[in-house]
CSV table of all heavy atoms in Angstrom, one decimal:
chain,number,residue,atom,x,y,z
A,123,PRO,N,-32.3,12.7,-18.1
A,123,PRO,CA,-32.3,11.2,-18.4
A,123,PRO,C,-33.2,10.8,-19.5
A,123,PRO,O,-34.2,11.5,-19.8
A,123,PRO,CB,-32.8,10.6,-17.0
A,123,PRO,CG,-32.4,11.7,-16.0
A,123,PRO,CD,-32.6,13.0,-16.7
A,124,VAL,N,-32.9,9.7,-20.2
A,124,VAL,CA,-33.6,9.3,-21.4
A,124,VAL,C,-34.0,7.9,-21.3
A,124,VAL,O,-33.2,7.0,-21.0
A,124,VAL,CB,-32.7,9.5,-22.6
A,124,VAL,CG1,-33.4,9.0,-23.9
A,124,VAL,CG2,-32.2,10.9,-22.8
A,125,ASP,N,-35.3,7.6,-21.5
A,125,ASP,CA,-35.8,6.3,-21.6
A,125,ASP,C,-35.6,5.8,-23.0
A,125,ASP,O,-35.9,6.5,-24.0
A,125,ASP,CB,-37.3,6.2,-21.3
A,125,ASP,CG,-37.8,4.8,-21.1
A,125,ASP,OD1,-37.7,4.0,-22.1
A,125,ASP,OD2,-38.2,4.4,-20.0
A,126,TRP,N,-35.0,4.6,-23.2
A,126,TRP,CA,-34.6,4.2,-24.6
A,126,TRP,C,-35.8,4.1,-25.5
A,126,TRP,O,-35.7,4.3,-26.7
A,126,TRP,CB,-34.0,2.8,-24.5
A,126,TRP,CG,-32.6,2.8,-23.9
A,126,TRP,CD1,-32.0,3.9,-23.3
A,126,TRP,CD2,-31.7,1.7,-23.8
A,126,TRP,NE1,-30.7,3.5,-22.9
A,126,TRP,CE2,-30.6,2.2,-23.2
A,126,TRP,CE3,-31.8,0.4,-24.2
A,126,TRP,CZ2,-29.4,1.4,-23.0
A,126,TRP,CZ3,-30.7,-0.4,-24.0
A,126,TRP,CH2,-29.5,0.1,-23.4
A,127,LYS,N,-37.0,3.9,-25.0
A,127,LYS,CA,-38.2,3.8,-25.8
A,127,LYS,C,-38.5,5.2,-26.6
A,127,LYS,O,-39.2,5.2,-27.6
A,127,LYS,CB,-39.4,3.5,-25.0
A,127,LYS,CG,-39.4,2.0,-24.4
A,127,LYS,CD,-39.6,1.0,-25.5
A,127,LYS,CE,-39.7,-0.4,-24.9
A,127,LYS,NZ,-39.8,-1.4,-25.9
A,128,ARG,N,-38.0,6.2,-26.0
A,128,ARG,CA,-38.2,7.6,-26.6
A,128,ARG,C,-37.2,7.9,-27.7
A,128,ARG,O,-37.2,9.0,-28.3
A,128,ARG,CB,-38.2,8.6,-25.6
A,128,ARG,CG,-39.2,8.4,-24.5
A,128,ARG,CD,-39.3,9.5,-23.5
A,128,ARG,NE,-40.4,9.3,-22.6
A,128,ARG,CZ,-41.2,10.2,-22.0
A,128,ARG,NH1,-41.0,11.4,-22.4
A,128,ARG,NH2,-42.1,9.9,-21.2
A,129,LEU,N,-36.2,7.0,-27.9
A,129,LEU,CA,-35.2,7.3,-28.9
A,129,LEU,C,-35.6,6.8,-30.3
A,129,LEU,O,-36.5,6.0,-30.4
A,129,LEU,CB,-33.9,6.6,-28.5
A,129,LEU,CG,-33.3,7.2,-27.2
A,129,LEU,CD1,-32.1,6.3,-26.7
A,129,LEU,CD2,-32.9,8.6,-27.3
A,130,ASP,N,-34.9,7.2,-31.3
A,130,ASP,CA,-35.2,6.8,-32.7
A,130,ASP,C,-34.4,5.6,-33.1
A,130,ASP,O,-33.2,5.6,-33.3
A,130,ASP,CB,-34.9,8.0,-33.6
A,130,ASP,CG,-35.2,7.6,-35.1
A,130,ASP,OD1,-35.8,6.6,-35.3
A,130,ASP,OD2,-34.9,8.4,-36.0
A,131,TRP,N,-35.1,4.4,-33.1
A,131,TRP,CA,-34.5,3.2,-33.5
A,131,TRP,C,-34.9,2.7,-34.9
A,131,TRP,O,-34.8,1.6,-35.3
A,131,TRP,CB,-34.8,2.1,-32.5
A,131,TRP,CG,-34.4,2.3,-31.1
A,131,TRP,CD1,-35.0,3.0,-30.1
A,131,TRP,CD2,-33.1,1.9,-30.6
A,131,TRP,NE1,-34.2,3.1,-29.0
A,131,TRP,CE2,-33.1,2.4,-29.2
A,131,TRP,CE3,-32.0,1.2,-31.1
A,131,TRP,CZ2,-32.0,2.2,-28.4
A,131,TRP,CZ3,-30.9,1.0,-30.2
A,131,TRP,CH2,-30.9,1.5,-28.9
A,132,SER,N,-35.4,3.7,-35.7
A,132,SER,CA,-36.0,3.3,-37.0
A,132,SER,C,-35.0,3.0,-38.1
A,132,SER,O,-35.2,2.4,-39.0
A,132,SER,CB,-36.9,4.4,-37.4
A,132,SER,OG,-36.3,5.6,-37.6
A,133,GLY,N,-33.8,3.6,-37.9
A,133,GLY,CA,-32.7,3.4,-39.0
A,133,GLY,C,-32.2,2.0,-39.0
A,133,GLY,O,-32.2,1.2,-38.1
A,134,LYS,N,-31.7,1.6,-40.2
A,134,LYS,CA,-31.3,0.3,-40.4
A,134,LYS,C,-30.1,-0.1,-39.5
A,134,LYS,O,-30.0,-1.1,-38.9
A,134,LYS,CB,-30.8,0.1,-41.9
A,134,LYS,CG,-30.3,-1.3,-42.2
A,134,LYS,CD,-30.0,-1.4,-43.7
A,134,LYS,CE,-29.4,-2.8,-44.0
A,134,LYS,NZ,-29.0,-2.9,-45.5
A,135,ALA,N,-29.1,0.9,-39.3
A,135,ALA,CA,-28.0,0.6,-38.5
A,135,ALA,C,-28.4,0.5,-37.0
A,135,ALA,O,-27.9,-0.3,-36.3
A,135,ALA,CB,-27.0,1.8,-38.7
A,136,ALA,N,-29.3,1.3,-36.6
A,136,ALA,CA,-29.8,1.3,-35.2
A,136,ALA,C,-30.5,0.0,-34.9
A,136,ALA,O,-30.4,-0.6,-33.9
A,136,ALA,CB,-30.7,2.5,-34.9
A,137,ARG,N,-31.3,-0.5,-35.9
A,137,ARG,CA,-32.1,-1.7,-35.7
A,137,ARG,C,-31.1,-2.9,-35.6
A,137,ARG,O,-31.3,-3.9,-34.8
A,137,ARG,CB,-33.1,-2.0,-36.8
A,137,ARG,CG,-34.2,-1.0,-36.8
A,137,ARG,CD,-35.4,-1.5,-37.6
A,137,ARG,NE,-35.0,-1.8,-39.0
A,137,ARG,CZ,-35.0,-0.9,-40.0
A,137,ARG,NH1,-35.3,0.3,-39.8
A,137,ARG,NH2,-34.6,-1.3,-41.2
A,138,ALA,N,-30.0,-2.9,-36.4
A,138,ALA,CA,-29.0,-3.9,-36.4
A,138,ALA,C,-28.3,-3.9,-35.1
A,138,ALA,O,-28.0,-5.0,-34.5
A,138,ALA,CB,-28.0,-3.7,-37.6
A,139,LEU,N,-28.0,-2.7,-34.6
A,139,LEU,CA,-27.3,-2.6,-33.3
A,139,LEU,C,-28.2,-3.2,-32.2
A,139,LEU,O,-27.8,-4.0,-31.3
A,139,LEU,CB,-27.0,-1.2,-33.0
A,139,LEU,CG,-26.2,-0.8,-31.7
A,139,LEU,CD1,-25.6,0.5,-31.8
A,139,LEU,CD2,-27.1,-0.9,-30.4
A,140,GLN,N,-29.5,-2.9,-32.2
A,140,GLN,CA,-30.4,-3.3,-31.2
A,140,GLN,C,-30.6,-4.8,-31.2
A,140,GLN,O,-30.5,-5.5,-30.1
A,140,GLN,CB,-31.8,-2.7,-31.4
A,140,GLN,CG,-32.8,-2.9,-30.3
A,140,GLN,CD,-34.1,-2.2,-30.6
A,140,GLN,OE1,-34.6,-2.3,-31.7
A,140,GLN,NE2,-34.6,-1.5,-29.6
A,141,ALA,N,-30.7,-5.4,-32.4
A,141,ALA,CA,-30.8,-6.9,-32.5
A,141,ALA,C,-29.5,-7.6,-32.0
A,141,ALA,O,-29.6,-8.6,-31.3
A,141,ALA,CB,-31.1,-7.3,-33.9
A,142,ASP,N,-28.4,-7.0,-32.3
A,142,ASP,CA,-27.1,-7.6,-31.9
A,142,ASP,C,-27.0,-7.5,-30.4
A,142,ASP,O,-26.5,-8.4,-29.7
A,142,ASP,CB,-26.0,-6.8,-32.6
A,142,ASP,CG,-24.7,-7.6,-32.6
A,142,ASP,OD1,-24.7,-8.8,-32.2
A,142,ASP,OD2,-23.7,-7.1,-33.1
A,143,ALA,N,-27.4,-6.3,-29.8
A,143,ALA,CA,-27.3,-6.1,-28.4
A,143,ALA,C,-28.2,-7.2,-27.6
A,143,ALA,O,-27.7,-7.8,-26.6
A,143,ALA,CB,-27.8,-4.7,-28.0
A,144,ILE,N,-29.4,-7.4,-28.1
A,144,ILE,CA,-30.3,-8.3,-27.4
A,144,ILE,C,-29.7,-9.7,-27.5
A,144,ILE,O,-29.8,-10.5,-26.6
A,144,ILE,CB,-31.7,-8.2,-28.1
A,144,ILE,CG1,-32.4,-6.9,-27.7
A,144,ILE,CG2,-32.6,-9.4,-27.6
A,144,ILE,CD1,-33.7,-6.6,-28.5
A,145,ALA,N,-29.1,-10.1,-28.7
A,145,ALA,CA,-28.5,-11.4,-28.8
A,145,ALA,C,-27.3,-11.6,-27.9
A,145,ALA,O,-27.0,-12.7,-27.5
A,145,ALA,CB,-28.0,-11.5,-30.3
A,146,HIS,N,-26.7,-10.5,-27.4
A,146,HIS,CA,-25.6,-10.5,-26.5
A,146,HIS,C,-26.1,-10.3,-25.0
A,146,HIS,O,-25.3,-10.1,-24.1
A,146,HIS,CB,-24.5,-9.5,-26.8
A,146,HIS,CG,-23.7,-10.0,-28.0
A,146,HIS,ND1,-24.0,-9.9,-29.3
A,146,HIS,CD2,-22.4,-10.6,-28.0
A,146,HIS,CE1,-23.1,-10.3,-30.0
A,146,HIS,NE2,-22.1,-10.8,-29.3
A,147,GLY,N,-27.4,-10.4,-24.8
A,147,GLY,CA,-27.9,-10.3,-23.4
A,147,GLY,C,-28.3,-9.0,-22.9
A,147,GLY,O,-28.6,-8.8,-21.7
A,148,VAL,N,-28.2,-7.9,-23.8
A,148,VAL,CA,-28.7,-6.6,-23.3
A,148,VAL,C,-30.2,-6.6,-23.3
A,148,VAL,O,-30.9,-7.1,-24.2
A,148,VAL,CB,-28.1,-5.5,-24.3
A,148,VAL,CG1,-28.7,-4.1,-23.9
A,148,VAL,CG2,-26.6,-5.5,-24.3
A,149,GLY,N,-30.8,-6.0,-22.3
A,149,GLY,CA,-32.2,-6.0,-22.1
A,149,GLY,C,-33.0,-5.2,-23.1
A,149,GLY,O,-32.4,-4.3,-23.8
A,150,THR,N,-34.3,-5.4,-23.2
A,150,THR,CA,-35.1,-4.6,-24.2
A,150,THR,C,-35.5,-3.2,-23.6
A,150,THR,O,-35.9,-2.4,-24.4
A,150,THR,CB,-36.4,-5.4,-24.5
A,150,THR,OG1,-37.1,-5.7,-23.2
A,150,THR,CG2,-36.0,-6.7,-25.1
A,151,GLN,N,-35.3,-3.0,-22.3
A,151,GLN,CA,-35.7,-1.7,-21.7
A,151,GLN,C,-34.4,-1.1,-21.3
A,151,GLN,O,-33.4,-1.7,-20.8
A,151,GLN,CB,-36.6,-1.9,-20.5
A,151,GLN,CG,-37.9,-2.7,-20.8
A,151,GLN,CD,-38.9,-1.9,-21.5
A,151,GLN,OE1,-38.7,-0.7,-21.8
A,151,GLN,NE2,-40.1,-2.5,-21.8
A,152,GLY,N,-34.3,0.2,-21.3
A,152,GLY,CA,-33.1,1.0,-20.9
A,152,GLY,C,-33.4,2.4,-20.4
A,152,GLY,O,-34.4,3.0,-20.9
A,153,TYR,N,-32.6,2.9,-19.6
A,153,TYR,CA,-32.7,4.2,-19.0
A,153,TYR,C,-31.3,4.8,-18.8
A,153,TYR,O,-30.5,4.2,-18.1
A,153,TYR,CB,-33.5,4.2,-17.7
A,153,TYR,CG,-33.9,5.5,-17.1
A,153,TYR,CD1,-34.9,6.3,-17.6
A,153,TYR,CD2,-33.1,6.1,-16.1
A,153,TYR,CE1,-35.3,7.5,-17.0
A,153,TYR,CE2,-33.4,7.3,-15.5
A,153,TYR,CZ,-34.5,8.0,-16.0
A,153,TYR,OH,-34.8,9.2,-15.4
A,154,SER,N,-31.0,5.9,-19.5
A,154,SER,CA,-29.6,6.4,-19.4
A,154,SER,C,-29.6,7.8,-18.9
A,154,SER,O,-30.4,8.6,-19.3
A,154,SER,CB,-28.9,6.3,-20.8
A,154,SER,OG,-28.8,5.0,-21.2
A,155,VAL,N,-28.6,8.1,-18.0
A,155,VAL,CA,-28.4,9.5,-17.5
A,155,VAL,C,-27.2,10.1,-18.2
A,155,VAL,O,-26.1,9.5,-18.0
A,155,VAL,CB,-28.2,9.4,-16.0
A,155,VAL,CG1,-27.9,10.9,-15.5
A,155,VAL,CG2,-29.4,8.8,-15.3
A,156,PRO,N,-27.3,11.1,-19.0
A,156,PRO,CA,-26.2,11.8,-19.5
A,156,PRO,C,-25.5,12.7,-18.4
A,156,PRO,O,-26.2,13.4,-17.7
A,156,PRO,CB,-26.7,12.7,-20.7
A,156,PRO,CG,-28.2,12.9,-20.3
A,156,PRO,CD,-28.6,11.7,-19.4
A,157,ILE,N,-24.2,12.6,-18.3
A,157,ILE,CA,-23.5,13.4,-17.3
A,157,ILE,C,-22.3,14.1,-18.0
A,157,ILE,O,-21.5,13.5,-18.7
A,157,ILE,CB,-22.9,12.5,-16.2
A,157,ILE,CG1,-24.0,11.5,-15.7
A,157,ILE,CG2,-22.3,13.3,-15.1
A,157,ILE,CD1,-23.5,10.5,-14.8
A,158,ARG,N,-22.3,15.4,-17.8
A,158,ARG,CA,-21.2,16.2,-18.4
A,158,ARG,C,-20.3,16.7,-17.3
A,158,ARG,O,-20.7,17.1,-16.2
A,158,ARG,CB,-21.8,17.4,-19.2
A,158,ARG,CG,-22.4,16.9,-20.5
A,158,ARG,CD,-23.3,17.9,-21.1
A,158,ARG,NE,-23.7,17.5,-22.4
A,158,ARG,CZ,-24.7,16.6,-22.7
A,158,ARG,NH1,-25.3,16.1,-21.7
A,158,ARG,NH2,-25.0,16.3,-23.9
A,159,GLY,N,-19.0,16.8,-17.6
A,159,GLY,CA,-18.0,17.2,-16.6
A,159,GLY,C,-16.9,18.1,-17.2
A,159,GLY,O,-17.1,18.6,-18.3
A,160,PRO,N,-15.8,18.2,-16.5
A,160,PRO,CA,-14.7,19.1,-16.9
A,160,PRO,C,-14.1,18.6,-18.2
A,160,PRO,O,-14.0,17.4,-18.5
A,160,PRO,CB,-13.8,19.1,-15.7
A,160,PRO,CG,-14.0,17.8,-15.1
A,160,PRO,CD,-15.5,17.5,-15.2
A,161,ASN,N,-13.5,19.6,-18.9
A,161,ASN,CA,-12.7,19.3,-20.1
A,161,ASN,C,-13.5,18.5,-21.2
A,161,ASN,O,-12.9,17.6,-21.9
A,161,ASN,CB,-11.4,18.5,-19.8
A,161,ASN,CG,-10.6,19.2,-18.7
A,161,ASN,OD1,-10.5,20.4,-18.7
A,161,ASN,ND2,-10.0,18.4,-17.8
A,162,GLY,N,-14.8,18.7,-21.3
A,162,GLY,CA,-15.6,18.1,-22.3
A,162,GLY,C,-16.0,16.7,-22.0
A,162,GLY,O,-16.4,15.9,-22.8
A,163,GLN,N,-15.9,16.3,-20.7
A,163,GLN,CA,-16.3,14.9,-20.3
A,163,GLN,C,-17.8,14.7,-20.6
A,163,GLN,O,-18.6,15.5,-20.3
A,163,GLN,CB,-16.0,14.7,-18.8
A,163,GLN,CG,-16.3,13.2,-18.4
A,163,GLN,CD,-17.0,13.1,-17.1
A,163,GLN,OE1,-17.6,14.0,-16.6
A,163,GLN,NE2,-17.0,11.9,-16.5
A,164,PHE,N,-18.1,13.5,-21.2
A,164,PHE,CA,-19.4,13.1,-21.5
A,164,PHE,C,-19.5,11.7,-21.1
A,164,PHE,O,-18.9,10.8,-21.7
A,164,PHE,CB,-19.8,13.3,-22.9
A,164,PHE,CG,-21.1,12.8,-23.3
A,164,PHE,CD1,-22.3,13.1,-22.7
A,164,PHE,CD2,-21.2,11.8,-24.4
A,164,PHE,CE1,-23.5,12.6,-23.0
A,164,PHE,CE2,-22.5,11.3,-24.7
A,164,PHE,CZ,-23.6,11.7,-24.0
A,165,ALA,N,-20.4,11.4,-20.1
A,165,ALA,CA,-20.5,10.0,-19.7
A,165,ALA,C,-22.0,9.6,-19.6
A,165,ALA,O,-22.9,10.5,-19.6
A,165,ALA,CB,-19.9,9.8,-18.3
């Protein structure tokens, strides 16, 4: 699992995405679990 604070948000495109997300109600904190499954599934 990955805490969003540990990811690289320094790029211009990433910062633009982050600002857009917050403007649409996405929170400033995040925690994501990568899950892999059959036939190349990635969730």
